[in-house]
Amino acid sequence: MSNDEEQLVKTELENRSFRQFDLSKDANKRKGVILDFFTGVSLWAQYSEGNTALSEWEILADDYRVEKAGSEYRIYFDAPRSAQILPTQCDNCIETSGISISIRNLFDSEKIRFKLNIDNDNFPGPFPIFESWTKFKEDEYFD
């Protein structure tokens, strides 16, 4: 993949955020994921029951690299950091190796799909989720 193509992908993702819930945002037990590309890349996840968050964490990096594999782009965190907010707050206590984000149909906002790739047995429960192609809702921000 050329540097120009990688820059095109980063420009397309810049200042965008996508979220998804499993089962739904209103389910009693739900898992939520937010992918944002405001400052590098961030993968935020939370598990909640009722109105109580039981597990919450984030993996982020100031930059990322992009690889192309067939019709998808794969995002890899450069020098990732992690933070666990719940159940116990700690910095860099989540193993970040083996984590990437796949994107299909990046340049079509109606057809864009994401998949989380997690090859890490130490990943915090009750994750992983969204290991198959899933449409994430794009957040809308207004100035």
Side-chain angles (χ1 to χ4, degrees), residues 20-82:
Q20 185 55 275
F21 295 90
D22 181 40
L23 303 164
S24 75
K25 69 177 185 171
D26 299 318
N28 184 48
K29 294 181 180 182
R30 65 198 171 280
K31 303 169 191 177
V33 170
I34 298 175
L35 305 172
D36 89 43
F37 298 90
F38 290 107
T39 306
V41 60
S42 169
L43 165 63
W44 174 91
Q46 183 184 76
Y47 173 72
S48 299
E49 292 183 9
N51 292 326
T52 305
L54 301 176
S55 176
E56 184 176 349
W57 49 263
E58 181 177 29
I59 296 171
L60 59 153
D62 293 334
D63 200 5
Y64 58 93
R65 74 181 196 288
V66 181
E67 290 182 6
K68 187 168 185 178
S71 63
E72 75 181 67
Y73 293 101
R74 193 169 278 199
I75 305 294
Y76 293 94
F77 297 77
D78 282 348
R81 305 176 306 281
S82 68

Side-chain angles (χ1 to χ4, degrees), residues 82-107:
S82 68
Q84 181 173 286
I85 298 97
L86 294 170
T88 305
Q89 194 167 7
C90 59
D91 290 330
N92 295 315
C93 58
I94 297 171
E95 176 58 48
T96 58
S97 65
I99 297 169
S100 64
I101 301 165
S102 291
I103 306 171
R104 270 193 190 160
N105 302 311
L106 172 61
F107 301 101

